Amino acid sequence: MKILKTLFSILFSVLLIANANASEKWDMALAYGASNFHSANAAEFAKNVSEKSGGKLTIVTHPGGSLFKGGEIFRAVRTGQAQMGERFMSALGKVDPILEIDSQPFLATSYDDAMKLYQASKPAIIESLNQKGLVFLYAVPWPAQGLYSKNEINSVSDLEGLKFRAYNSATIRIAELTGMAPTKIEAAEISQAFSTGAVESMITSPTTGKNSKIWENGVKYFYDIAAWFPKNMVVAHRGSWNKLDADTQLLIKREAAAAEEKGWMLSRVGNIEDKKALAAAGMVVGKVNADLEKHFQKVGKKMAKEWKKKAGKTGASVLAAYK
Ligand code: PCA
């Protein structure tokens, strides 16, 4: 009897351990608020994977920078502190210039071109991330980027000297070439930066302006420049990925493809609806005038040259594939 009891208890422990190995819990770090469409889409992706994995994998999303802030997520996933995360791709230009291709002004100015650029750059992006121990899963663009300002902007001289919130090297460069004073600030800190007067202008989507209720901080004007559609990407830590069985990996890939398709659709909707929301909140929503358009085109040309130099052979072949 005693032997039998011991045998049972050993068997029970073995089963417990096996079960623990079979069920993984992953943390997915998200920088943007839960109601942002990227975060909502990621939450749905995580839920679908968790439900369909048959208890083998549960992905828990942490929106609003609650696990890691936007600026920390890439490193956190690289080191496996988070098994999965979403990061604004073009903020990683210093890691690899190919990651900032989608923030080059006037390279892709419509969703169709943004998709073409994405397809042309995807193999190089996947390869670059692979070398850094990351598995690329999906990428979704923000709506077209526009200029926000506390004051009316009718000429380049209205922009000169303005304190400008930047989100990557490209927006810092635009500011420099325009005579503005840039500071890099994550989306989560936008409201505070405007309300304290640390900044008075920025370029971002109507979505991010809406999400940060930018009109409550004295920002009255939105000018639709629509010169690029920067993307968020979702990546996984390769070491964690390798621990999953082939079925679960396939499930994640399938759900990632579905999330990507849905995300692009949500972005298109936001590109129209979120501008309406800014106007409904009392903001003046319009286009930049011809003079400003010409200025930004000029800035774009200069930046294109600079980026080509930085991005070398890989950049050149991606541009060739795009065109
Ligand atoms: N919103 C993010 C990135 C691009 C966008 O539209 C931000 O402003 O940080």
Side-chain angles (χ1 to χ4, degrees), residues 49-307:
V49 171
S50 304
E51 280 175 8
K52 294 179 191 175
S53 80
K56 281 195 270 186
L57 175 65
T58 305
I59 301 176
V60 181
T61 52
H62 303 271
S66 53
L67 185 62
F68 291 103
K69 295 213 166 77
E72 304 165 346
I73 290 175
F74 189 71
R75 183 197 42 77
V77 181
R78 257 186 106 163
T79 54
Q81 284 174 291
Q83 291 81 3
M84 195 179 248
E86 180 187 57
R87 178 57 174 151
F88 184 52
M89 206 169 86
S90 60
L92 299 164
K94 289 212 176 87
V95 174
D96 187 339
I98 202 67
L99 298 173
E100 61 180 0
I101 193 168
D102 65 12
S103 286
Q104 299 311 307
F106 301 103
L107 187 57
T109 58
S110 67
Y111 275 98
D112 288 351
D113 281 353
M115 176 52 93
K116 265 193 228 157
L117 182 62
Y118 174 41
Q119 295 304 339
S121 55
K122 202 171 167 183
I125 288 166
I126 290 176
E127 176 52 23
S128 172
L129 294 168
N130 187 35
Q131 280 170 15
K132 290 157 192 75
L134 292 164
V135 179
F136 171 85
L137 290 169
Y138 69 86
V140 170
W142 290 88
Q145 305 293 291
L147 173 68
Y148 288 84
S149 171
K150 288 190 173 177
N151 299 315
E152 198 173 338
I153 306 292
N154 292 310
S155 65
V156 180
S157 62
D158 289 338
L159 287 170
E160 276 165 8
L162 287 187
K163 288 178 275 180
F164 177 83
R165 177 259 167 173
Y167 57 52
N168 62 10
S169 307
T171 47
I172 288 176
R173 193 66 186 128
I174 292 172
E176 287 169 355
L177 293 169
T178 304
M180 298 187 278
T183 313
K184 204 169 156 189
I185 294 166
E186 288 294 326
E189 272 94 54
I190 288 176
S191 307
Q192 203 197 347
F194 276 92
S195 70
T196 59
V199 294
E200 50 205 342
S201 63
M202 68 174 166
I203 294 178
T204 186
S205 56
T207 311
T208 291
K210 183 192 85 175
N211 288 164
S212 36
K213 294 201 171 78
I214 200 66
W215 54 85
E216 290 182 357
N217 297 305
V219 178
K220 193 129 202 270
Y221 299 90
F222 177 79
Y223 301 94
D224 202 5
I225 306 177
W228 68 98
F229 292 80
K231 294 184 290 295
N232 280 359
M233 63 174 182
V234 169
V235 291
H237 174 244
R238 179 164 296 285
S240 309
W241 175 262
N242 287 343
K243 283 192 207 142
L244 301 173
D245 63 21
D247 282 349
T248 309
Q249 289 177 346
L250 198 69
L251 170 68
I252 295 178
K253 291 261 178 179
R254 257 205 321 264
E255 292 303 326
E260 181 168 283
E261 201 182 324
K262 176 141 189 216
W264 280 73
M265 187 273 290
L266 291 172
S267 182
R268 280 179 189 261
V269 173
N271 195 39
I272 296 164
E273 294 305 318
D274 295 344
K275 264 181 283 202
K276 285 189 196 157
L278 298 182
M283 288 182 65
V284 180
V285 175
K287 299 252 175 214
V288 283
N289 64 25
D291 269 4
L292 282 160
E293 171 80 20
K294 224 166 81 195
H295 166 75
F296 286 120
Q297 292 269 4
K298 210 174 87 192
V299 165
K301 282 211 178 91
K302 186 160 173 64
M303 287 175 61
K305 269 192 208 143
E306 292 173 351
W307 185 80

Side-chain angles (χ1 to χ4, degrees), residues 12 17 41 185 267:
F12 189 66
I17 291 165
N41 196 35
I185 294 166
S267 182

